[in-house]
Amino acid sequence: MSLADRIAELEAEVAQAAAATAEEVERFRVAMLGRKGAVTALFDAFKEMSAEDKKALGRRMNELKQAAQARWEEMKAGTTRQGAAPVQQGDPTRPVATEQTGGLHPITLVRQRIVRVFERLGYTVSQGPEVEDDHHNFGALNFPPEHPARDMQDTFFVESPEGLALRTHTSSVQVRVMEHQEPPIRTISPGRVYRNEAISARAHCMFHQVEGLYVDKGVSFAELKGTLDHFAKSLFGPEVAIRLRPSYFPFTEPSAEVDMSCTICGGDGCAVCKQSGWVEIMGCGMVDPAVLANCGIDPEVYSGFAFGMGVERIAQLLYRVPDLRLYWENDVRFLAQFSDGSFRN
Ligand code: PHE
């Protein structure tokens, strides 16, 4: 190989040199510029050359040596890769991003959506105490003392002479509203409720409800069904349907469970709806005349409907949450999925 060819070969090698690590940079230096490196060897050979060759190639060799040196400096600074665009190394001294945006909890988000649907229909929002007396949680709602219906809701009792308990549903709030307000009454009561249940993927000892109540002259079961159909379509989309199955609650007569066509499979049958095509979303019924009377409302003049749903259940269907316990663990990997950036510090 002629000296000129060898120079051309090394020129190409230098131009294409790349290094990802400090070791590779050093390997380049040794191979080119080290005491036994290729460029150094070229200069050794140079000394033996004819004056004519020296004149012809000397300048090119100096340029090659400078190019190899410059390449080495560049690679040392970690800025070259295949001689192309600089590699982004990042600045380790840059301050870390401290502004993390939080988000509302999925239960809060869903509660707000449920409340908004009923507010648009003219419902007010009522609140009441979580530690409740027997009268408001049970008695006024037609649960006679010692009646087995109380077993439907496993109660956490509070040691107290008045027999207080953690409310098992927010129907207690509606009793308070009926006691203090003349019909027409149109109100919903969102809130936390407690039941002594073993904690599992499908049950928890506390959860959130939104219960609704409408009392006026001539309120009918058809209006109840229309209201709940509107609610389901507002939240889940116009294609969902509801159906009512006869059921029993001490405070409503007749009573029904409300099923909605499964939003996961569209009604064809899947694991979520246990192949039935329907998922249960709430309980409802016409307020029992005895309950109206207990709260000082004349059942001969007024009638009403009531319904109650679990917010966790609705959120589970909206967001496909597989395990109820996720709502309580405050794992940011779960919570961050609901953050829409609308809540900032
Ligand atoms: N209070 C019932 C419950 O906690 C729900 C319900 C409310 C049912 C109103 C019918 C009417 O399960």
Side-chain angles (χ1 to χ4, degrees), residues 24-36:
E24 287 175 22
V25 173
E26 177 59 10
R27 219 174 296 141
F28 172 82
R29 189 193 64 78
V30 171
M32 288 292 168
L33 304 164
R35 260 194 301 123
K36 293 182 182 149

Side-chain angles (χ1 to χ4, degrees), residues 141 143 152-153 168-172 174 193 195 207 209-213 224 248-252 254-257 282-287 305-310:
L141 289 161
F143 291 81
M152 281 170 71
Q153 302 180 341
T168 59
H169 51 185
T170 60
S171 303
S172 55
Q174 314 199 326
V193 301
R195 293 185 196 175
F207 59 100
Q209 279 192 326
V210 176
E211 295 217 356
L213 173 74
L224 169 61
Y248 172 77
F249 298 101
F251 35 87
T252 46
S255 305
E257 300 282 357
M282 68 175 104
C284 71
M286 299 305 291
V287 182
F305 65 65
F307 54 87
M309 68 189 92

